[in-house]
């Protein structure tokens, strides 16, 4: 598929017409990167935006004790690299591919005039940055005020409400990240997450679904546990 057709599905550019999309496509270079590769390295200089055309990336940094802290997982249609592009500071985090991925890469000198010309793009970018800040603040609050089981309940409620549908029986069917990835997002160890998940299974709040990694989650009960906290 041609670049402008791929860009048509990207929310950042949803206000653009066909010829404007072609103009953006002519400014972008296409980059294919294999699974588990570093796309952006924390502290490096950077002056371009990456739009995810396919695949998934992990945004992470390292704590002073050397533990990986996962700030976000971003998928198709999303973007990263806007921070260095906007403030001209070094890259704020590492970005690693979770799957084979394809990106459109747009340089600062091309994107800035584009945003001046099409303020809708700048507004969408700002709205997304605001939404990420909200999310990061919520995670920080969770980590500083909750024990690990409650961090996990809160994560599961968010995850189910954002990424899955409620079944007729009220449960949500979803695919959860690996225990290690959950641990890295909730600032704890894999063992502690595995124990908390086993307990949720024993309590019937998590039920193994059909298919690899599939879970059926009782979100109402989790919300009740969070209300009591
Ligand atoms: N807390 C966060 N939530 C989501 N994305 C982030 C967060 N911190 C950094 N990023 C992304 O990771 C990118 C790393 O390079 P930049 O700093 O240029 O731009 C950054 C953002 O796109």
């Amino acid at each position: 598929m041609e670049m402008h057709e791929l860009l048509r599905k990207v929310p950042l550019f949803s206000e653009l017409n066909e010829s404007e999309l072609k103009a953006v496509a002519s400014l972008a270079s296409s980059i294919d990167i294999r699974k588990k590769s570093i796309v952006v390295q924390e502290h490096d200089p950077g002056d371009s935006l990456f739009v995810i055309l396919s695949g998934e990336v992990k945004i992470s940094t390292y704590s002073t004790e050397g533990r990986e802290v996962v700030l976000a997982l971003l998928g198709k249609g999303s973007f990263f690299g806007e921070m260095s592009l906007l403030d001209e500071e070094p890259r704020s985090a590492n970005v690693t591919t979770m799957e084979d991925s394809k990106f459109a890469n747009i340089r600062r000198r091309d994107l800035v005039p584009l945003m001046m010309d099409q303020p809708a793009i700048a507004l969408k970018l700002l709205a997304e940055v605001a939404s990420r800040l909200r999310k990061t603040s919520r995670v920080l609050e969770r980590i500083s005020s909750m024990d690990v089981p409650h961090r996990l309940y809160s994560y599961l409620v968010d995850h189910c409400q954002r990424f899955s549908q409620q079944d007729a029986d009220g449960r949500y069917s979803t695919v959860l990240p690996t225990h290690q990835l959950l641990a890295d997002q909730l600032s704890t160890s894999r063992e502690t997450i595995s124990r908390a998940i086993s307990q949720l299974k024993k309590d019937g709040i998590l039920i193994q679904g059909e298919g690899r990694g599939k879970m059926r989650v009782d979100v109402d009960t989790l919300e009740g546990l969070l209300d009591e906290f």
Side-chain angles (χ1 to χ4, degrees), residues 47 85 106-114:
D47 70 345
L85 183 139
I106 310 176
R107 308 282 301 266
R108 178 173 210 280
R109 62 161 185 260
D110 294 319
L111 192 67
V112 170
L114 188 68

Side-chain angles (χ1 to χ4, degrees), residues 78-186:
S78 192
F79 60 83
F80 57 89
E82 77 293 345
M83 291 171 65
S84 293
L85 183 139
L86 293 171
D87 68 9
E88 301 184 54
E89 293 286 330
R91 296 293 191 191
S92 61
N94 299 297
V95 183
T96 321
T97 48
M98 305 289 287
E99 299 168 8
D100 290 354
S101 303
K102 189 183 195 67
F103 306 104
N105 186 241
I106 310 176
R107 308 282 301 266
R108 178 173 210 280
R109 62 161 185 260
D110 294 319
L111 192 67
V112 170
L114 188 68
M115 290 197 287
M116 300 286 206
D117 194 43
Q118 297 278 350
I121 297 180
L123 281 172
K124 290 209 162 176
L125 193 125
L126 280 173
E128 175 61 20
V129 170
S131 144
R132 288 182 192 177
L133 183 57
R134 257 179 220 281
K135 190 159 174 250
T136 303
S137 305
R138 206 166 55 236
V139 170
L140 195 63
E141 186 202 319
R142 245 184 235 163
I143 288 171
S144 56
S145 67
M146 290 178 173
D147 58 16
V148 173
H150 284 83
R151 286 180 214 168
L152 180 64
Y153 306 161
S154 171
Y155 179 97
L156 290 172
V157 170
D158 263 14
H159 180 86
C160 289
Q161 290 174 344
R162 276 159 30 101
F163 300 116
S164 50
Q165 300 285 329
Q166 200 167 13
D167 294 338
D169 66 355
R171 283 182 181 265
Y172 285 72
S173 292
T174 192
V175 177
L176 292 182
T178 61
H179 291 192
Q180 185 63 59
L181 204 47
L182 283 168
D184 294 340
Q185 289 179 87
L186 299 176

Side-chain angles (χ1 to χ4, degrees), residues 4-18:
H4 75 276
E5 290 170 304
L6 294 167
L7 292 177
R8 197 184 292 142
K9 301 196 181 86
V10 172
L12 192 60
F13 303 125
S14 64
E15 309 289 318
L16 304 188
N17 64 32
E18 220 32 30

